[in-house]
Amino acid sequence: MSIIRSERTAAGLLLGAAALGLLLANTPIGGALLDVQHAYVGSGPLSLSVGHWVSDGLLAIFFFIVAVELKHELVVGELNSVQKAIHPAIAAIAGVLVPAGLYLVVTAGSDLHQGWPIPTATDIAFALGVLAVFGRGLPNRLRVFLLALAVLDDLIAILIIAVFFTQDPNILELVLAAVCVAVFGVLSRMLRGRLRWPLGVLMVLLAALTWWLVYDSGVHATIAGVALGLVMARQPAGRVTHVLEPWSNGLILPLFAFSAALVPIPNVAPSQLSPAFWGILVALPVGKLVGITLGGWLGSFTKRGAEKGRISLFGLITIAALGGIGFTVSLLMNELAFVGSEEVRAEGTLAVLLGSAVAIVVSGFLVSALARRNRRLHPHPQPHH
């Protein structure tokens, strides 16, 4: 299981699954795979397509892990004080505003403005994976800053999903879900001794009920995973995520990437592609690069950012390039933004994959160059995890 926990392995599986989905969708068996994706499984209120079980069900587990990591950083990690959080926070906010604005500029005059959140997301697993592959010898502070930035980016993405992709929610079901979440949090603080297993089973049932209430309320079901991860006591949450992480890296995220990338390539000339395609393709790698670099530079004037040994401009540009790898969350945003238009959603998926590919190539080159420079200037091994 340890190899599946590796950031390099997680990134490789994610990329391989997306490439395989895109490849198979454009072969003779593509139609059969799409039929499977659209086939309904379950009964009654829990009758969902296979694709929805992946994006609404399994992905909630990934968001649970993200929320636990976010809470850890906020309580004891790199975001546990305003002084520590201000620099990556400014970079994260600028890294959302600039690509969103760039997307709106490119798509101006069309009715595709709802796609603005798609290029604002950073794939934390992929970005750390690229850093792990090419960043041998880099100081650990670069990874820490990237992690803090990506965690804050995920928090913003969660808020965007909750606020902008929710219409006419069922308030009663949300209240009931909140009660379940509160009880879940209380029970997590009682997990000890003989009560551990019965309480654990009860918590699993509560988590499933919370997920269904959130899903049925009209709010995206991944928010249930976020809420449960934030309220769970840190020690048991750490144990649970340790168990879930290999499943998330090795199955859930690759399965989602495969399902999301299962789109036929439109047989149209580049001039006939929708403005959304070009907006995402430009805003994801370029917007994140400009936004995070600008925000990171402005944030360097804060007390925390001005300390000796902080990140150089070259380091900021490198981290900004890594931030342009949207992938998982961008693919989810694309599904939510263009749920009513299969053609635009397919083009959006291609744009996310191509934009992320550009960011992977650029960031891989920059990380390698920065690592070589660092090894030349500091021949002794630098701490890196």
Side-chain angles (χ1 to χ4, degrees):
M1 283 291 189
S2 60
I3 191 171
I4 303 180
R5 297 183 193 280
S6 160
E7 291 161 356
R8 301 182 187 191
T9 304
L13 288 172
L14 205 55
L15 180 61
L20 184 62
L22 188 61
L23 175 67
L24 292 180
N26 292 278
T27 64
I29 67 168
L33 288 172
L34 288 170
D35 288 341
V36 171
Q37 185 187 45
H38 296 142
Y40 275 72
V41 176
S43 60
L46 287 178
S47 178
L48 302 176
S49 70
V50 172
H52 275 109
W53 275 118
V54 173
S55 63
D56 290 15
L58 291 180
L59 211 59
I61 297 172
F62 164 71
F63 273 90
F64 170 84
I65 296 171
V66 168
V68 171
E69 187 165 55
L70 170 63
K71 183 178 180 180
H72 173 81
E73 294 299 324
L74 290 171
V75 176
V76 296
E78 283 301 306
L79 303 173
N80 70 342
S81 70
V82 173
Q83 188 182 45
K84 284 184 179 180
I86 189 68
H87 191 192
I90 293 172
I93 291 168
V96 167
L97 294 177
V98 172
L102 189 54
Y103 174 90
L104 290 173
V105 168
V106 174
T107 60
S110 70
D111 59 351
L112 300 169
H113 60 276
Q114 72 271 27
W116 66 265
I118 299 168
T120 65
T122 293
D123 190 300
I124 187 169
F126 226 124
L128 290 173
V130 172
L131 189 65
V133 171
F134 297 103
R136 183 176 63 84
L138 285 177
N140 196 46
R141 65 174 177 269
L142 281 174
R143 185 186 184 280
V144 168
F145 186 84
L146 175 62
L147 179 62
L149 172 74
V151 166
L152 287 166
D153 193 286
D154 278 339
L155 176 60
I156 295 171
I158 289 162
L159 294 173
I160 289 173
I161 291 170
V163 174
F164 293 98
F165 294 121
T166 300
Q167 294 181 338
D168 301 323
N170 185 313
I171 302 301
L172 176 59
E173 288 183 322
L174 285 179
V175 170
L176 291 173
V179 172
C180 290
V181 168
V183 175
F184 181 91
V186 171
L187 293 179
S188 72
R189 286 154 177 80
M190 299 165 59
L191 282 172
R192 62 179 68 90
R194 288 188 226 173
L195 292 175
R196 196 176 198 175
W197 281 105
L199 286 181
V201 172
L202 182 56
M203 287 175 65
V204 170
L205 294 174
L206 270 173
L209 179 58
T210 302
W211 176 87
W212 183 82
L213 286 167
V214 172
Y215 171 80
D216 202 54
S217 74
V219 176
H220 197 266
T222 51
I223 299 300
V226 173
L228 294 168
L230 289 175
V231 302
M232 192 172 185
R234 279 199 303 121
Q235 194 170 14
R239 290 196 298 266
V240 171
T241 55
H242 184 76
V243 172
L244 291 177
E245 189 178 46
W247 294 99
S248 177
N249 289 348
L251 179 65
I252 293 171
L253 291 180
L255 197 56
F256 172 74
F258 179 85
S259 177
L262 202 62
V263 293
I265 296 175
N267 187 22
V268 297
S271 60
Q272 295 176 297
L273 290 166
S274 74
F277 174 88
W278 298 109
I280 297 166
L281 182 60
V282 173
L284 188 53
V286 177
K288 294 295 272 190
L289 179 64
V290 173
I292 294 173
T293 301
L294 179 61
W297 176 74
L298 291 172
S300 68
F301 291 101
T302 65
K303 183 179 179 182
R304 175 73 178 173
E307 288 175 6
K308 183 181 178 181
R310 295 310 293 168
I311 298 167
S312 66
L313 181 60
F314 188 7
L316 280 175
I317 293 171
T318 302
I319 289 171
L322 288 164
I325 306 172
F327 228 80
T328 308
V329 182
S330 288
L331 288 171
L332 177 60
M333 297 275 205
N334 181 65
E335 286 193 358
L336 296 173
F338 301 126
V339 69
S341 175
E342 191 72 25
E343 185 178 335
V344 177
R345 187 185 69 80
E347 292 185 18
T349 297
L350 291 174
V352 169
L353 296 177
L354 289 172
S356 294
V358 170
I360 290 169
V361 171
V362 172
S363 62
F365 173 79
L366 291 175
V367 170
S368 297
L370 185 61
R372 283 197 304 272
R373 176 185 168 193
N374 192 72
R375 290 195 298 270
R376 189 172 65 250
L377 295 176
H378 307 282
H380 298 295
Q382 297 291 313
H384 182 70
H385 304 293

